[in-house]
Amino acid sequence: MSRFVAKSIDQYHTLYKESVENPEKFWAAFAEQEFVWHKKWENTLSFDLRKPTIQWFAGGKLNITENCIDRHLTTRGNQTAILFEPNDPKDKPLHISYQELSKQVNKTANMLKALGAQKGDRICIYMPMTPELAYTVLACARIGAIHSVVFAGFSAQSLSDRINDAQCSLLVTADGGYRGQKITPLKAIVDQALISCLSIRRVLVLQRTGLKVSMKSGRDVWWHEVFAKASDACVAESMDAEDSLFILYTSGSTGKPKGMVHTCGGYMVYTNYSFRNVFQYQEGDIYWCTADIGWITGHSYILYGPLSAGATTVMFEGIPSYPDMGRFWRIIEKHKVNIFYTAPTAIRSLASGDLSWVHSHDLGSLKTLGTVGEPINLEAWQWYNEHIGQGQCPIVDTWWQTETGGIMISNLAGVSKDIPTFATLPLPGIQPCLMDEAGNEIATLEAEGRLCIQFPWPSMARTIYGNHQRFADTYYRAFEGKYFTGDGAKRDKNGNYRITGRVDDVVIVSGHNLGTAEIENAINEHPLIAESAVVGYPHPIKGHAIYAFVTLRSPKHEDASVGIKIEINSLVTSLIGPIAKPEKIQFTAGLPKTRSGKIMRRILRKIAEGNTESLGDISTLLNPDCVEQIIQGASI
Ligand code: PRX
């Protein structure tokens, strides 16, 4: 047992103190003790958060896949590493042992090499939640290629934007992906995306659904054809701790999505550390995180964290509502899942169904529950606790971000107390602080402010791919010398944090970050639309939903408004993806603007929330009259 995994609240406090008093010593000891390195690092940490430059374990050599796979082969080669539950409940689950995973990853790695992939190349992965997705991610890491997984629900345009931004040379996809009863035609989307991508030389296509696809000769190859010829031995590339491991895109409050870059060493160290501490994983536990690998939660807590800890991690291809609303609970019963980690939006959606879906299953195997992605409301927390945890399971409310790489603030299961709606305390090594609007740190414990992190931690993003200036401006400009999270938070008198939500123009819809500017840009592509403003408003299931205020070029087009709404939805779907579709669209004669012409989204947000009493002083607006009109027409 590692002394770095807190087993009691006292141990947590001791570790926390140690990690803050001497972070370098703390992380060096953990990294040295718990992982296989080819060569020890020269400097544990060097940083300057004003630039920012951040390096952890620089000069150290390793390969993350040796820590996730090879080192387990002698001790747990036959243990299930990945338990794959297919979309169709009639299909057999796959128990992929560490031994088998090793072979599959090596073969996949050799297949990528055969297609010309080399260390440092960017490889885009646009795949359904099949084991081959996991193999591909790990195979990239094995050969030192940088994976860029794009969630397979994104549109052709979003995919090509991401491929072009990272200049990927290879794309791995499938003919199609199952989602309940539907099949997403992934290869067809890829074909459309690649019309505007010149960097992609080869496309590897997994046959999953049997959907008929067209294969471009010289570019496209079938997975099974190349795979059959690949050897199952592949020496892991020796990577510098600071070499890039992956790029993962996340929406920003302005402009295009940002390709967050994570590096090999620090990311490995911290995902392992946080996985073991937060979930208190015990030998033999079955752990299930319901996220998609297309998001950071899937990267860190389906793959890298659990596998580096030698865990059995469940990978689910389907959706919670197929074939019925009891699917999650049936999977828990079937595989005797002990640790279950999901999003508040899934909890709320399942809680809105009939309780008999839950109660007809034996959930007695569960020991720990977790949530991630957005603040969990009290009602959802209580339902989760009472009906899923049966009042017996700690619920870890894990606050973190694509940018942070791993869980930052959370109770530790059974070790520190859970407090409904609070993420509670920072993990050892994490030093949060609250800032006021004037940019000063709030010294009192009980406080509310903007959440920053004031000292580096190993899995922090190092840059935005190809745009370090944007990285500096977005995260390190608002509060000098500190990482700004974009979230607001409250802190109670015992130091527990409660995340109140985004304080920028990012809206979290069903756990997905969406930049309002990106949606506005998509809507504004419509030839009859003059301008638009997009805000989020509270939604009972999705957490937040999108409300679009739209001004037409000419009032005469209002007759066509039903058709225009449909066109807006299809524009947003094709330019971003269905997750970004507005729930409500309101046509307005004008949008409230400051005298300098800036749209006052704050006012629109209040109107969308139905909170028109507290609009504040609107007399200074350029066009105060439009506000009353918008209130009258609002659909709340
Ligand atoms: O606003 C916070 C919210 O999700 C944002 C990060 O989104 P993303 O990068 O997509 O990563 C999601 C999975 C880690 C945060 O800025 N968020 C995440 N977890 C929580 C949360 N808000 C409240 N409570 C949480 N537990």
Side-chain angles (χ1 to χ4, degrees):
M1 186 167 308
S2 169
R3 79 168 186 90
F4 291 96
V5 179
K7 289 287 161 204
S8 65
I9 189 70
D10 290 344
Q11 273 180 22
Y12 160 78
H13 286 300
T14 311
L15 285 169
Y16 190 81
K17 191 160 174 274
E18 195 182 321
S19 76
V20 170
E21 281 174 1
N22 197 337
E24 288 191 45
K25 192 164 161 227
F26 178 84
W27 288 115
F30 179 72
E32 189 155 18
Q33 183 175 313
E34 304 286 337
F35 302 93
V36 177
W37 298 84
H38 298 168
K39 178 176 163 276
K40 200 182 159 185
W41 53 91
E42 284 137 26
N43 273 329
T44 303
L45 170 66
S46 48
F47 71 101
D48 178 350
L49 292 187
R50 281 161 311 180
K51 287 198 168 109
T53 52
I54 306 133
Q55 291 204 316
W56 280 94
F57 313 113
K61 298 279 180 197
L62 77 153
N63 188 289
I64 194 168
T65 67
E66 289 178 331
N67 286 283
C68 288
I69 307 172
D70 304 51
R71 66 162 162 162
H72 302 312
L73 295 182
T74 47
T75 49
R76 56 178 89 246
N78 294 324
Q79 181 201 308
T80 302
I82 297 179
L83 203 174
F84 172 65
E85 171 70 23
N87 176 64
D88 187 339
K90 292 195 286 305
D91 290 347
K92 267 206 159 135
L94 295 178
H95 292 258
I96 302 153
S97 66
Y98 274 96
Q99 196 72 55
E100 182 63 19
L101 181 64
S102 167
K103 278 194 190 152
Q104 298 284 341
V105 169
N106 285 350
K107 276 179 87 100
T108 310
N110 285 325
M111 175 166 69
L112 298 178
K113 279 190 187 168
L115 294 175
Q118 288 178 358
K119 180 174 177 176
D121 286 355
R122 275 81 55 219
I123 298 187
C124 179
I125 306 176
Y126 185 67
M127 291 182 86
M129 280 283 285
T130 55
E132 289 80 2
L133 163 56
Y135 304 155
T136 309
V137 166
L138 295 165
C140 289
R142 186 121 187 128
I143 65 172
I146 301 166
H147 54 80
S148 167
V149 183
V150 177
F151 172 60
F154 275 122
S155 67
Q157 182 67 49
S158 299
L159 176 61
S160 76
D161 286 347
R162 286 159 174 76
I163 291 172
N164 285 333
D165 185 73
Q167 287 292 292
C168 298
S169 54
L170 208 96
L171 172 62
V172 188
T173 188
D175 51 359
Y178 291 117
R179 273 190 68 75
Q181 272 171 313
K182 288 198 216 136
I183 293 180
T184 313
L186 298 177
K187 177 62 167 62
I189 298 171
V190 161
D191 290 338
Q192 205 190 329
L194 292 191
I195 295 172
S196 52
C197 298
L198 299 178
S199 60
I200 294 285
R201 293 190 307 264
R202 307 304 296 266
V203 179
L204 189 58
V205 188
L206 175 76
Q207 204 165 40
R208 174 62 187 142
T209 59
L211 200 68
K212 207 168 164 331
V213 298
S214 67
M215 298 288 280
K216 187 170 172 185
S217 118
R219 185 192 73 182
D220 303 350
V221 279
W222 284 109
W223 176 292
H224 53 269
E225 287 175 5
V226 197
F227 193 77
K229 292 181 226 139
S231 147
D232 63 9
C234 176
V235 176
E237 192 72 37
S238 198
M239 305 297 288
D240 192 281
E242 278 298 319
D243 281 340
S244 303
L245 174 64
F246 66 87
I247 302 169
L248 186 60
Y249 287 84
T250 185
S251 294
S253 40
T254 54
K256 293 261 179 216
K258 302 164 285 190
M260 305 313 306
V261 176
H262 284 283
T263 54
C264 297
Y267 178 80
M268 172 184 75
V269 167
Y270 193 76
T271 50
N272 174 281
Y273 177 83
S274 49
F275 173 74
R276 291 161 68 194
N277 269 286
V278 170
F279 298 104
Q280 296 284 311
Y281 184 87
Q282 302 284 321
E283 199 70 26
D285 280 349
I286 308 290
Y287 162 88
W288 179 21
C289 164
T290 68
D292 191 289
I293 289 175
W295 310 114
I296 190 70
T297 310
H299 281 56
S300 302
Y301 298 111
I302 295 179
L303 294 181
Y304 289 115
L307 293 176
S308 69
T312 296
T313 175
V314 176
M315 191 174 165
F316 176 43
E317 185 184 29
I319 53 173
S321 55
Y322 176 77
D324 55 52
M325 298 288 271
R327 186 71 194 272
F328 271 7
W329 323 128
R330 202 165 316 120
I331 295 174
I332 292 176
E333 179 176 24
K334 178 157 125 194
H335 298 302
K336 299 199 169 34
V337 170
N338 307 110
I339 304 170
F340 178 66
Y341 187 32
T342 195
T345 183
I347 299 168
R348 287 191 295 263
S349 139
L350 293 165
S352 69
D354 201 297
L355 262 182
S356 62
W357 290 120
V358 179
H359 291 163
S360 51
H361 298 98
D362 178 3
L363 304 181
S365 58
L366 287 173
K367 293 196 304 195
T368 295
L369 302 175
T371 83
V372 58
E374 57 182 305
I376 182 163
N377 51 310
L378 187 59
E379 235 185 331
W381 192 97
Q382 283 166 338
W383 186 89
Y384 199 31
N385 180 44
E386 185 181 337
H387 297 291
I388 308 306
Q390 299 166 358
Q392 309 283 322
C393 302
I395 299 178
V396 289
D397 180 349
T398 65
W399 173 82
W400 59 295
Q401 309 177 297
T402 306
E403 295 85 339
T404 68
I407 298 169
M408 304 287 282
I409 303 182
S410 173
N411 48 316
L412 313 183
V415 171
S416 48
K417 252 190 21 206
D418 40 17
I419 309 172
T421 76
F422 277 72
T424 73
L425 299 171
L427 263 66
I430 305 306
Q431 301 187 36
C433 59
L434 293 178
M435 309 296 289
D436 65 19
E437 295 207 9
N440 302 313
E441 185 175 345
I442 308 174
T444 48
L445 256 180
E446 216 170 347
E448 177 165 9
R450 289 166 187 236
L451 181 63
C452 288
I453 313 290
Q454 54 188 330
F455 195 84
W457 66 100
S459 66
M460 64 202 298
R462 302 296 194 263
T463 191
I464 291 174
Y465 190 82
N467 199 344
H468 197 68
Q469 190 58 48
R470 187 175 177 199
F471 181 67
D473 292 344
T474 310
Y475 302 106
Y476 293 92
R477 222 25 102 234
F479 304 102
E480 213 195 347
K482 296 183 169 62
Y483 166 75
F484 175 44
T485 64
D487 281 328
K490 285 185 180 166
R491 188 170 52 207
D492 74 8
K493 61 180 188 313
N494 299 314
N496 292 295
Y497 286 85
R498 176 175 201 259
I499 310 302
T500 50
R502 301 291 309 183
V503 292
D504 56 8
D505 289 322
V506 171
V507 183
I508 304 183
V509 180
S510 299
H512 305 312
N513 277 14
L514 299 170
T516 52
E518 221 191 333
I519 304 176
E520 287 166 8
N521 289 343
I523 295 174
N524 296 347
E525 294 270 304
H526 194 291
L528 301 183
I529 291 172
E531 60 179 354
S532 62
V534 161
V535 297
Y537 70 97
H539 184 279
I541 305 282
K542 299 178 175 183
H544 280 85
I546 298 294
Y547 196 131
F549 296 89
V550 175
T551 309
L552 296 170
R553 285 194 188 281
S554 155
K556 68 176 194 273
H557 299 312
E558 268 179 33
D559 297 344
S561 63
V562 175
I564 297 175
K565 280 187 183 176
I566 295 170
E567 285 157 13
I568 288 176
N569 277 326
S570 67
L571 259 175
V572 173
T573 303
S574 75
L575 293 175
I576 306 171
I579 48 176
K581 271 194 305 200
E583 191 85 6
K584 293 181 182 173
I585 299 171
Q586 180 182 347
F587 293 104
T588 64
L591 295 169
K593 289 186 182 158
T594 60
R595 287 185 192 275
S596 60
K598 201 168 162 241
I599 298 173
M600 286 293 279
R601 286 185 181 69
R602 181 178 58 76
I603 291 174
L604 295 171
R605 216 173 283 131
K606 292 229 160 114
I607 296 174
E609 287 166 0
N611 187 7
T612 50
E613 306 289 285
S614 58
L615 290 183
D617 181 14
I618 57 168
S619 62
T620 55
L621 291 177
L622 187 66
N623 50 352
D625 295 349
C626 79
V627 175
E628 191 49 39
Q629 273 178 350
I630 296 175
I631 294 173
Q632 295 306 326
S635 63
I636 44 175

